[in-house]
Amino acid sequence: MGFISKLFGKPSKEEILRFNYHVNFKTLPDIVEKYNNKQLRYSDLMRPTVFIGRAETQNCLAKKISVVDTGINNHPNLKMILVKTPSNGSISEVAAAIIMVDTVKQKAILYTMEYSLGGYAICLPESNGNHTNTGIMVKNGDQFAAYVLKVTYHKQTEEMLANRESMSAGCASLETKEPQSFDATTGKKVMPHFEPVARQTKESTSSSNNQEYEILSPYFPKHLDNDKYRQARKTKTGANFILAGLQSYIAQMEGSFPEWKGLFTIRANGEIIEVTVIKGFQHEISIKALNCLWRRKTFLENCMLLGVKKIVFVNPIDKTFDLLEINKFNPQNYQ
């Protein structure tokens, strides 16, 4: 293409391909690495066109790059930056990229959604030229975003497990507000009473020390238990993991079913999960979604393993609540 064509003509497919590759496999990985090394600010991640080399830049293509950032509910430290670069829609080109950022730790990870056979492949390009294919295929941008959120929450959960003392202190600082209900006979507000977890003390034969042990549900999945779960139960921090899992599950469902948006808020404290059903128990979609939320074998098992004893469903419309006592359920009865 001649000089005049470059200024005024329409870019060729080869030029669009080269530009797409350069932005997603060179520019974005470079600025993410510099941000992680504290050489750039968060605002710089929002301006990838500033860092595209002049030799690779065509004004007409650079102007078509769109950058949008968004926060994550209940996680003020997390930001998601979506970058869309012009493409031909050909296999191996990038349809969209997401930079997931933890602004407190100043750490970012770049994910790309690349055209592939039968959908889009999720990959991890790096500034050193490495390009890891996760093996995950998605059908659209919503599933892409849901996957990134799921991985992010999973990483946070692993970090919480690795830093148990910090987790315990953070959990202890959570404010607890138990849901209110009404006594049907008196019409007065009452507060549900949550009993502490039953524990017994077993004296050693030497009488020098007492050994504390748990009373577990008859349905407890002992074959899945390990030291990490036992530590979470001991420190009563397991609800934090269940909270992260529920938030990831909701984000994934919102990506596939928009009607899920705005149905729930969730928080955790000690051995209790509190789910506020924003639109009330009479809202048909909320009730169907609520069943999907907890009626799962793996969810019930994880609650038992992590020491979550009760889930309170709060109805802010009628000021009532419902209560699930996890140890009374057999996970094997659910899929």
Side-chain angles (χ1 to χ4, degrees):
M1 180 178 286
F3 175 71
I4 299 298
S5 297
K6 285 186 177 181
L7 289 178
F8 302 106
K10 182 178 180 181
S12 66
K13 288 186 176 181
E14 291 76 12
E15 288 171 322
I16 294 173
L17 174 66
R18 186 166 60 248
F19 183 76
N20 183 280
Y21 281 2
H22 183 78
V23 172
N24 292 287
F25 303 143
K26 176 61 179 171
T27 303
L28 294 183
D30 282 351
I31 64 176
V32 165
E33 182 182 43
K34 288 179 180 177
Y35 175 80
N36 288 338
N37 292 333
K38 297 180 172 55
Q39 296 173 299
L40 294 178
R41 298 169 297 179
Y42 176 77
S43 58
D44 293 322
L45 296 175
M46 298 289 297
R47 304 184 300 154
T49 54
V50 173
F51 301 93
I52 300 174
R54 284 188 177 181
E56 302 293 337
T57 302
Q58 289 193 41
N59 287 335
C60 61
L61 291 175
K63 289 179 179 178
K64 292 182 179 180
I65 294 179
S66 72
V67 182
V68 179
D69 73 330
T70 181
I72 309 299
N73 288 341
N74 302 318
H75 292 272
N77 60 308
L78 296 181
K79 303 288 184 183
M80 179 184 283
I81 301 174
L82 174 66
V83 183
K84 295 189 70 175
T85 307
S87 71
N88 300 304
S90 302
I91 288 178
S92 79
E93 283 187 300
V94 175
I98 286 178
I99 305 173
M100 199 70 205
V101 189
D102 187 325
T103 56
V104 173
K105 296 179 181 178
Q106 194 166 342
K107 293 296 180 182
I109 301 178
L110 173 65
Y111 299 85
T112 52
M113 182 176 82
E114 302 175 15
Y115 291 99
S116 185
L117 292 172
Y120 302 90
I122 299 179
C123 301
L124 298 163
E126 300 177 44
S127 60
N128 59 8
N130 288 343
H131 185 269
T132 304
N133 189 326
T134 64
I136 302 297
M137 296 290 293
V138 294
K139 295 181 180 180
N140 52 46
D142 287 341
Q143 290 185 1
F144 177 40
Y147 170 82
V148 172
L149 283 174
K150 180 179 179 180
V151 171
T152 300
Y153 290 139
H154 180 69
K155 287 181 181 294
Q156 285 199 324
T157 300
E158 286 185 331
E159 290 174 2
M160 290 167 71
L161 274 171
N163 193 1
R164 295 165 185 161
E165 290 184 2
S166 173
M167 263 182 45
S168 180
C171 183
S173 68
L174 288 175
E175 180 185 6
T176 304
K177 292 182 180 178
E178 295 179 331
Q180 292 183 336
S181 185
F182 287 90
D183 187 308
T185 58
T186 65
K188 295 181 179 180
K189 287 184 179 180
V190 295
M191 298 295 292
H193 179 62
F194 299 132
E195 295 289 347
V197 180
R199 292 182 179 273
Q200 294 183 354
T201 300
K202 180 180 178 182
E203 293 186 358
S204 64
T205 55
S206 64
S207 70
S208 58
N209 291 309
N210 287 338
Q211 182 180 359
E212 186 179 56
Y213 68 95
E214 299 173 283
I215 298 177
L216 299 173
S217 162
Y219 309 117
F220 186 87
K222 295 180 181 179
H223 63 291
L224 298 175
D225 203 13
N226 59 39
D227 288 340
K228 288 184 177 180
Y229 290 130
R230 284 188 282 272
Q231 181 66 18
R233 295 198 298 272
K234 181 179 179 180
T235 56
K236 296 186 180 181
T237 54
N240 289 283
F241 308 140
I242 296 298
L243 173 65
L246 283 174
Q247 289 172 331
S248 175
Y249 180 78
I250 289 173
Q252 185 176 2
M253 295 301 287
E254 286 179 345
S256 300
F257 306 100
E259 58 268 29
W260 270 66
K261 293 182 179 179
L263 295 184
F264 309 114
T265 60
I266 307 176
R267 63 181 191 162
N269 188 57
E271 299 171 333
I272 300 170
I273 294 289
E274 181 183 309
V275 180
T276 299
V277 185
I278 296 172
K279 298 181 180 180
F281 293 164
Q282 303 304 316
H283 187 252
E284 184 178 357
I285 295 177
S286 293
I287 295 304
K288 289 180 179 179
L290 199 60
N291 286 327
C292 295
L293 205 61
W294 73 269
R295 294 175 67 89
R296 294 176 284 127
K297 177 176 180 286
T298 54
F299 175 75
L300 293 170
E301 287 179 339
N302 286 336
C303 284
M304 290 179 176
L305 290 166
L306 290 166
V308 172
K309 302 298 183 183
K310 299 177 181 180
I311 302 180
V312 181
F313 300 103
V314 181
N315 178 357
I317 305 297
D318 298 329
K319 294 183 171 54
T320 57
F321 73 95
D322 201 357
L323 177 67
L324 288 183
E325 295 186 63
I326 295 297
N327 286 342
K328 293 183 179 180
F329 288 84
N330 184 354
Q332 298 302 320
N333 293 336
Y334 301 87
Q335 295 182 350

